[in-house]
């Protein structure tokens, strides 16, 4: 993302923003090998090579983590009310990371966090359709026509849901309970819960088990792991390709 040069320098810890302006006008800064003395020039710290007095400024290390979020935790970096937040579960991460989309307070499972704003934007933008798979526990056993409704689209107050994949994962007649696996291609607020409420099978437990090519499996509750560079690449590619499919390309 492009930002003003003096802001980028200040955020890289070179000096205060005011002092960075002086450094720029003094001709001490180069962008992609060219001296730049004008204030207000915009740069992308991820793409442009920026030097001060011939030294490259610190580029921020990109961090991508997959957390198995427990229920009863807020998807946020801080809570003024003192409740637990997802970043409380990343003790080894010093960088400031932000959630990619959100899971409700009571939803568990796969949540990505990163300090790469562009990556987060790409994955959560409504024009991209990265599949998200959830296991929803409901009271009772919804029959086939109910599942068909969920598959074909449910009228919610913010519009019709797009086609989803829906199947039984488990049925427990003793407990009068079933687990339904649902894959949606949108990320609307409380979407899965609202879809099941609309067919009168409120969700009692919700867990995200898959996001694009990534699985929750192998990460214990409340723990996290780093994504591999290959996984980051695959996610980006999936977001871009789902955009193309939607546009019929
Ligand atoms: N759908 C929901 O209802 N809740 C979530 O947290 C995610 C998807």
């Amino acid at each position: 993302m492009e930002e003003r040069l003096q802001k980028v320098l200040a955020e890289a810890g070179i000096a205060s923003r005011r002092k960075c302006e002086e450094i720029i006008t003094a001709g001490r800064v180069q962008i992609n090998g060219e001296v730049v003395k004008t204030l207000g020039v915009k740069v992308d710290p991820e793409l442009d090579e920026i030097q001060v007095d011939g030294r490259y400024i610190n580029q921020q290390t990109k961090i991508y983590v997959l957390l198995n979020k427990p229920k009863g935790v807020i998807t946020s970096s801080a809570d003024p009310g003192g409740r637990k937040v997802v970043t409380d579960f990343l003790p080894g991460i010093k960088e400031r990371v932000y959630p990619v989309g959100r899971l409700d307070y009571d939803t568990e499972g796969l949540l990505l966090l990163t300090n790469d704003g562009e990556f987060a934007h790409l994955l959560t933008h409504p024009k991209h359709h990265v599949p998200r798979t959830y296991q929803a526990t409901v009271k009772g056993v919804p029959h086939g026509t109910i599942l068909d409704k969920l598959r074909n689209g449910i009228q919610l107050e913010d519009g019709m849901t797009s086609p989803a994949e829906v199947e039984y994962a488990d049925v427990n007649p003793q407990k009068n309970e079933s687990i339904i696996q649902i894959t949606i291609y949108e990320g609307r607020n409380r979407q899965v819960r609202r879809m099941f409420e609309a067919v009168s099978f409120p969700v009692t437990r919700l867990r995200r088990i898959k996001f694009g090519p990534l699985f929750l499996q192998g990460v214990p509750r409340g723990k996290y792991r780093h994504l591999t560079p290959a996984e980051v690449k695959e996610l980006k590619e999936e977001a871009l390709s789902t955009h193309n499919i939607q546009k019929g390309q």
Side-chain angles (χ1 to χ4, degrees), residues 131-134 147 150-152 162-167 180-185 195:
R132 298 125 158 102
T133 302
Y134 297 85
L147 299 196
L150 293 164
R151 280 185 195 115
N152 297 334
S162 49
E165 283 141 38
V166 185
E167 60 192 45
I180 312 287
Q181 187 156 306
I182 175 163
T183 300
I184 57 172
Y185 296 81
M195 288 172 77

Side-chain angles (χ1 to χ4, degrees), residues 55-211:
R55 296 233 304 265
Y56 288 103
I57 66 166
N58 279 347
Q59 303 280 336
Q60 195 186 36
T61 314
K62 300 272 177 58
I63 303 277
Y64 308 88
V65 298
L66 184 165
L67 170 71
N68 184 348
K69 174 193 173 296
K71 68 183 279 194
V73 175
I74 299 182
T75 302
S76 161
S77 317
D79 178 50
R83 289 173 297 179
K84 270 201 187 322
V85 294
V86 286
T87 47
D88 292 342
F89 294 86
L90 308 176
I93 308 278
K94 292 186 295 310
E95 290 79 3
R96 224 183 141 98
V97 290
Y98 301 92
V100 177
R102 57 186 299 280
L103 290 178
D104 301 335
Y105 182 71
D106 278 333
T107 301
E108 334 162 25
L110 195 164
L111 181 71
L112 297 178
L113 296 107
T114 183
N115 58 357
D116 182 344
E118 220 168 316
F119 174 85
H121 182 71
L122 179 73
L123 293 177
T124 51
H125 196 284
K127 79 178 179 200
H128 300 131
H129 305 271
V130 179
R132 298 125 158 102
T133 302
Y134 297 85
Q135 282 191 339
T137 306
V138 299
K139 269 266 159 270
V141 183
H143 50 71
T145 52
I146 300 273
L147 299 196
D148 279 342
K149 276 192 187 171
L150 293 164
R151 280 185 195 115
N152 297 334
I154 296 275
Q155 184 63 48
L156 299 178
E157 57 197 28
D158 53 355
M160 198 76 174
T161 60
S162 49
E165 283 141 38
V166 185
E167 60 192 45
Y168 296 110
D170 196 16
V171 175
N172 188 334
Q174 276 86 40
K175 282 170 91 178
N176 187 31
E177 186 177 89
S178 21
I179 302 177
I180 312 287
Q181 187 156 306
I182 175 163
T183 300
I184 57 172
Y185 296 81
E186 315 166 274
R188 295 197 226 163
N189 193 27
R190 298 188 69 256
Q191 179 166 342
V192 174
R193 290 179 195 273
R194 290 191 292 136
M195 288 172 77
F196 279 93
E197 267 158 30
V199 291
S200 303
F201 280 89
V203 169
T204 55
R205 182 181 176 201
L206 188 61
R207 191 157 73 108
R208 181 152 73 190
I209 57 165
K210 195 164 183 259
F211 186 97

